[in-house]
Amino acid sequence: MVVILEIPLFLFPEQFEKNMKQVLFVCLGNICRSPSAEAVFNAMIERNKLEHEISCDSAGTAAYHEGEPADYRMRQFAQKRGYNLTSISRPVNPKVDFDRFDYIIGMDRQNVRDLKSMARNENDREKIFLMTDFCVDGQYDSVPDPYYGGAAGFELVLDILEDACSGLLRRLQE
Ligand code: 4NP
């Protein structure tokens, strides 16, 4: 007699993670663009009830702001659109992140170059993408760094991220 037991996946968190699509958003400092991408994408995941299929995180190519919350200006602009930025800055850890994540997405071309220089092999390199490649609108070829600019820069980051995240979600559901 064969007995098939259904064992809940939550008893095996690692197995559970393996069955999910995992996305890592990456910018320079991990205090403006990539934490915002994480918050925007998490809101879409929640809205579409995809929490058990897709998860995301964010990191920086530099460790200047390691341990800090997101930039207060970025948090304020995001909050006005209903996004709560909760992440704490951390640098990319190539040994862990290239194994854990399926999509590693840089906000601009320099982020993508830096990620490629961290990749250990071709398999790692194939996971690296540019955020604006997922844009539906297609007006921008990077998410510009808002750190040294004014309000318009932060609003633009959110505009581009909302567009790119909806394209990314569509791609992951294909
Ligand atoms: P982010 O923005 O890469 O979008 O987090 C920046 C944050 C900090 C610095 C530059 C960009 N910085 O030079 O400290």
Side-chain angles (χ1 to χ4, degrees):
M1 186 175 74
V2 180
V3 179
I4 301 171
L5 290 174
E6 272 208 32
I7 303 171
L9 273 177
F10 64 78
L11 293 176
F12 302 92
E14 279 177 18
Q15 203 56 41
F16 186 62
E17 270 204 344
K18 271 186 207 151
N19 288 314
M20 295 178 82
K21 286 181 184 146
Q22 305 224 50
V23 178
L24 181 66
F25 297 109
V26 176
C27 60
L28 175 63
N30 190 214
I31 56 168
C32 293
R33 294 166 291 172
S34 60
S36 302
E38 184 184 343
V40 170
F41 202 48
N42 269 332
M44 286 184 190
I45 290 170
E46 223 173 278
R47 211 176 305 137
N48 289 278
K49 300 190 172 35
L50 293 168
E51 295 94 330
H52 301 299
E53 289 168 48
I54 303 171
S55 76
C56 71
D57 189 11
S58 67
T61 56
Y64 314 139
H65 297 278
E66 187 169 6
E68 294 176 19
D71 181 280
Y72 73 97
R73 298 162 297 171
M74 193 74 252
R75 276 189 276 139
Q76 281 177 349
F77 283 101
Q79 193 65 58
K80 280 202 288 178
R81 298 191 191 199
Y83 305 116
N84 193 14
L85 269 57
T86 55
S87 71
I88 299 295
S89 176
R90 71 161 179 96
V92 173
N93 180 346
K95 284 188 199 144
V96 175
D97 292 330
F98 280 108
D99 288 335
R100 176 169 167 210
F101 292 96
D102 307 299
Y103 290 76
I104 300 182
I105 305 176
M107 297 295 123
D108 62 32
R109 286 175 198 281
Q110 186 59 49
N111 302 150
V112 167
R113 274 194 293 274
D114 291 340
L115 284 166
K116 287 200 170 153
S117 74
M118 294 178 204
R120 301 159 302 178
N121 51 44
E122 193 49 35
N123 192 44
D124 288 356
R125 266 187 291 280
E126 282 173 5
K127 297 181 174 187
I128 300 169
F129 297 86
L130 179 64
M131 189 64 176
T132 46
D133 288 343
F134 299 102
C135 280
V136 182
D137 182 320
Q139 253 192 82
Y140 296 93
D141 62 2
S142 76
V143 185
D145 182 351
Y147 192 69
Y148 294 106
F154 290 94
E155 296 287 11
L156 180 61
V157 164
L158 292 164
D159 288 343
I160 300 172
L161 292 179
E162 285 174 341
D163 183 29
C165 282
S166 68
L168 175 61
L169 190 68
R170 218 175 290 170
R171 172 85 70 92
L172 294 184
Q173 289 183 295
E174 273 168 13

